[in-house]
Amino acid sequence: MVDYHAAGQPASYQYGGNGPGIGDYMAQEDDWDRDLLLDPAWEKQQRKTFTAWCNSHLRKAGTQIENIDEDFRDGLKLMLLLEVISGERLPKPERGKMRVHKINNVNKALDFIASKGVKLVSIGAEEIVDGNAKMTLGMIWTIILRFAIQDISVEETSAKEGLLLWCQRKTAPYKNVNVQNFHISWKDGLAFNALIHRHRPELIEYDKLRKDDPVTNLNNAFEVAEKYLDIPKMLDAEDIVGTLRPDEKAIMTYVSCFYHAFSGAQKAETAANRICKVLAVNQENEHLMEDYEKLASDLLEWIQRTIPWLENRVPQKTMQGMQQKLEDFRDYRRVHKPPKVQEKCQLEINFNTLQTKLRLSNRPAFMPSEGKMVSDINNGWQHLEQAEKGFEEWLLNEMRRLERLEHLGQKFRQKASIHESWTEGKEAMLKQKDYETATLSDIKALIRKHEAFESDLAAHQDRVEQIAAIAQELNELDYYDSPSVNARCQKICDQWDTLGSLTHTRREALEKTEKQLETIDQLHLEYAKRAAPFNNWMESAMEDLQDMFIVHTIEEIEGLIAAHDQFKSTLPDADKEREAILGIQSEAQKIADYNNIKLSGNNPYTSVTPQIINSKWERVQQLVPKRDHALQDEQSKQQSNEHLRRQFASQANIVGPWIQTKMEEIGRISIEMNGTLEDQLNHLKQYEQSIVDYKPNIDVLEQQHQLIQEALIFDNKHTNYTMEHIRVGWEQLLTTIARTINEVENQILTRDAKGISQEQMQEFRASFNHFDKDHGGSLGPEEFKACLISLGYDVENDRQGDAEFNRIMSVVDPNNSGVVTFQAFIDFMSRETTDTDTADQVIASFKVLAGDKNYITAEELRRELPPDQAEYCIARMAPYQGPDAIPGALDYKSFSTALYGESDL
């Protein structure tokens, strides 16, 4: 409700609403910024614009105003204006001419404005009735905002922002137009022309407009708008161009008329945008559906094309053929299937995405074509996986079968070849008639030979049975070359039957003459039985005598020599056996000669002739002395190596313990440290010289080690010391004695620099050694804490004691190594127990030399200090700058503080 004040007082209204929009804009504008109306140019623009705007609506009621200050004073046209722009009826106005009637009419108009959620600040009816131009313009601007601008909304913005965004979007495609506000962005007139051209391009020739001719541009836009768009001319071009910053409210009012004039086009555009948005969603969904259908069709087609290939289980006859199938299957797994797995995954993703989009856009769910559902694809894929698994299992089983067949085929061919090689010539041999003209010895030999052949034939029976069994298995496993195998197997079996028959026939023939010449036959048989093992013994002996040997110790070569001597001791018995064997052969020959029997050749029971036996025996006799010589040479070599081992071991067993003893002695000396530090230093240097004097022994050992390496000797049982152990020990010994000497020298430097007495140094050493339980030359944190407590330091296990101990540890162990060396311990104790020169003490000393002056001269320094130290001070002292300075005065105070790091020199 309107807040009426007491009678006779003007009613005051405040503009602003609870919601967004014009209330927010007015808050930003600080109640329409009435102070700016004091600018005559802006007031002129507002008068002209607001008047034209009011008339554009009043003419609908058949009237208009001439003077905005005067024509609204009685409230009648004001109420009429509100009825026209709102489309609502206001209370009946009062027709009287008195002031009170005018005030009541204006109040009715203001009440109506307030009923629309508008608060007018400091605008009362009396001011309007009195013709207050500033208040009248403010009231009209409020009406314009409420009824012409407030309802403008673009993308959920409102009022001024919405109108500005609408202008920016409409003029965005036009060159030289950049709408950022409602004042200077409109001065050149191009923005007005762009708005008209965007909606009515036939009314404006935009390309002919020039940015440097704003008056022409503005007049063109205003005239076209008035003539074709029913927008009255609210401003003159000169008013805008002639003002540095055109009035924002005037421009906004003018532009709002363009907005409302094109609102129909805007609504159409919004509707078109909505339709486009809906169609875009549908098009996108249809595209996804088409993609799904195509991808599903392609994938199902591939599955249907691949499954028959996987279900094709026609076996190959060869391993190469199956390996090619395996390679094709691997290629399918590596190359062809992975992209399809991705396609299947993408298909499911696209399907789920499509269904989600359809659901979010209130569209019915997508139903793929028959047979192309995700479940159909999954079923097809499952069938594919099953076929793939079955194909792989079949492939592996088939390869195992072919591998077995290939193995059996090779085995058959190998055994058949061996058998055929063995049977070659056997039929011809069995068909011979040699026994018809043979002597007794020949008959006996033929009988024995035939018996041997029968044994051999019986032994080959198993091979023939194996060949037949393999052929049978190859037939059962459907071997591709079964006809060839069967033919070969049949030939072998037929030949085997023939050999059996011929063998039986020949045996019967031989048995008829079996009783002839048995003595010779027995002798030949005895010869064969004894010659064969003797021949083997000679071959083994020759092999052993020529065998290469590698030994590394004297024991090994002595073992070989003993074995050789044992072998030589068997030679006389072997020679007797040789003579006995040869005697058998000789005896057989004598019997043949005595009985006038013609022997048909060599011994039928063996191929080892007396010539072979004699030849091999002669070879054994030649190899024995060569073996003797080789073993003796190796024995000499091993004796020499043993001498080198013992020589090195003898020296190493002396040097090694000597180094260890010296290391222990140095450790003991470093702990005990008796006498003065100078005595200890002299003693350690003498000890070091004694160690250096021992170096020739190391050199001798190196020479011996070199001889051992050249002889390729890799082990030495006479010592546990290697040259590497000796070298490392020697280097550690030299390092340890040098480090110990350096520690004593540092202790002397510390003692001299800090003024520590010999008794204090010994006390420090005694305390340190007492707590150095492992005699390692350093203290752990707990050992060091115990040492400090024994020396009177308060580092007990409480907060204060722990803090003090941590402080001390940071001094003695700055690198956090976890141990405290004796030198660090001495440095700490020297700092704790001795006086140290300070910068103040040095300054006091210089002041004495300077005769109590605040400066010192170079002459005084050269007189009081040694030359080198005097020149050192002169070169580094800065000139004295005090009020009592004289030429050549030097500042000894800054020099002294710089010595102790308290300032830069």
Side-chain angles (χ1 to χ4, degrees), residues 408-426:
L408 287 174
Q410 291 178 358
K411 188 175 181 180
F412 173 84
R413 288 187 287 273
Q414 182 184 20
K415 288 184 175 293
S417 296
I418 293 173
H419 177 78
E420 289 167 351
S421 176
W422 179 83
T423 59
E424 185 177 356
K426 294 295 188 295

Side-chain angles (χ1 to χ4, degrees), residues 680-841:
Q680 296 173 14
L681 181 61
N682 292 332
H683 179 59
L684 286 171
K685 288 185 175 180
Q686 292 172 3
Y687 201 82
E688 181 184 33
Q689 186 59 43
S690 69
I691 292 173
V692 173
D693 293 341
Y694 196 76
K695 180 65 166 57
N697 296 287
I698 305 297
D699 297 336
V700 170
L701 205 57
E702 286 282 5
Q703 295 170 1
Q704 295 172 351
H705 178 66
Q706 183 177 354
L707 295 175
I708 285 178
Q709 287 184 322
E710 292 173 353
L712 300 178
I713 300 172
F714 303 107
D715 57 356
N716 193 340
K717 67 180 181 179
H718 304 296
T719 180
N720 292 326
Y721 294 99
T722 65
M723 194 62 224
E724 184 63 25
H725 293 152
I726 298 297
R727 290 193 193 103
V728 172
W730 177 254
E731 292 169 359
Q732 289 179 346
L733 180 62
L734 293 177
T735 302
T736 302
I737 187 62
R739 185 169 57 246
T740 305
I741 289 173
N742 179 255
E743 288 177 357
V744 174
E745 290 174 342
N746 287 337
Q747 292 172 25
I748 292 173
L749 290 174
T750 303
R751 181 199 64 191
D752 295 342
K754 304 297 185 178
I756 302 174
S757 65
Q758 183 64 32
E759 291 75 13
Q760 288 178 307
M761 188 64 73
Q762 290 176 348
E763 181 184 355
F764 294 159
R765 168 56 73 178
S767 298
F768 188 88
N769 289 344
H770 175 74
F771 290 97
D772 184 11
K773 301 301 183 182
D774 58 356
H775 304 295
S778 62
L779 299 180
E782 293 301 322
E783 294 174 333
F784 182 57
K785 178 180 283 189
C787 181
L788 291 175
I789 293 172
S790 70
L791 294 172
Y793 285 85
D794 184 12
V795 289
E796 294 293 342
N797 291 327
D798 55 24
R799 182 177 298 179
Q800 183 175 358
D802 289 343
E804 177 62 13
F805 178 70
N806 291 334
R807 181 192 68 79
I808 295 174
M809 279 298 293
S810 67
V811 174
V812 297
D813 184 21
N815 296 324
N816 294 323
S817 62
V819 295
V820 180
T821 64
F822 182 64
Q823 184 61 44
F825 177 70
I826 290 177
D827 290 342
F828 170 71
M829 294 306 298
S830 64
R831 285 195 297 271
E832 295 290 316
T833 58
T834 59
D835 278 338
T836 304
D837 291 331
T838 64
D840 291 339
Q841 292 174 334

Side-chain angles (χ1 to χ4, degrees), residues 14-194:
Q14 180 176 0
Y15 176 68
N18 294 327
I22 194 166
D24 294 339
Y25 173 66
M26 288 303 292
Q28 297 170 7
E29 292 291 313
D30 292 328
D31 302 327
W32 56 271
D33 202 0
R34 64 184 62 84
D35 294 336
L36 293 177
L37 291 177
L38 298 176
D39 186 335
W42 286 10
E43 183 177 350
K44 178 181 178 183
Q45 293 176 23
Q46 287 190 13
R47 282 178 178 275
K48 188 175 296 185
T49 303
F50 292 176
T51 300
W53 182 85
C54 291
N55 286 334
S56 69
H57 293 287
L58 288 173
R59 69 185 179 186
K60 299 174 185 177
T63 185
Q64 64 179 15
I65 61 172
E66 298 295 337
N67 188 329
I68 198 168
D69 300 346
E70 297 294 331
D71 294 347
F72 286 135
R73 291 180 62 185
D74 58 5
L76 296 177
K77 288 187 178 182
L78 179 59
M79 293 178 69
L80 182 60
L81 174 64
L82 291 173
E83 287 182 347
V84 171
I85 62 177
S86 68
E88 300 180 21
R89 295 290 295 177
L90 269 69
K92 185 177 180 179
E94 298 181 9
R95 296 298 179 179
K97 299 296 183 178
M98 299 179 63
R99 177 178 174 84
V100 66
H101 297 142
K102 296 179 181 180
I103 291 175
N104 289 337
N105 288 338
V106 173
N107 273 329
K108 289 177 182 179
L110 296 179
D111 288 343
F112 180 77
I113 294 173
S115 69
K116 298 302 180 181
V118 179
K119 294 181 180 180
L120 296 169
V121 180
S122 302
I123 299 178
E126 289 80 0
E127 294 168 319
I128 304 301
V129 173
D130 292 340
N132 187 320
K134 182 164 56 175
M135 294 302 174
T136 302
L137 291 174
M139 178 189 66
I140 298 302
W141 171 240
T142 300
I143 294 171
I144 293 172
L145 282 176
R146 172 59 185 85
F147 293 100
I149 298 177
Q150 180 177 342
D151 294 334
I152 297 175
S153 177
V154 179
E155 289 192 358
E156 299 183 1
T157 61
S158 60
K160 178 182 179 181
E161 291 78 8
L163 184 61
L164 182 63
L165 180 59
W166 178 80
C167 295
Q168 290 172 341
R169 289 193 172 181
K170 294 301 180 180
T171 61
Y174 294 88
K175 64 180 181 179
N176 297 326
V177 178
N178 183 17
V179 177
Q180 298 296 327
N181 48 56
F182 286 109
H183 37 81
I184 60 175
S185 295
W186 303 83
K187 282 189 67 173
D188 57 11
L190 292 178
F192 285 107
N193 284 277

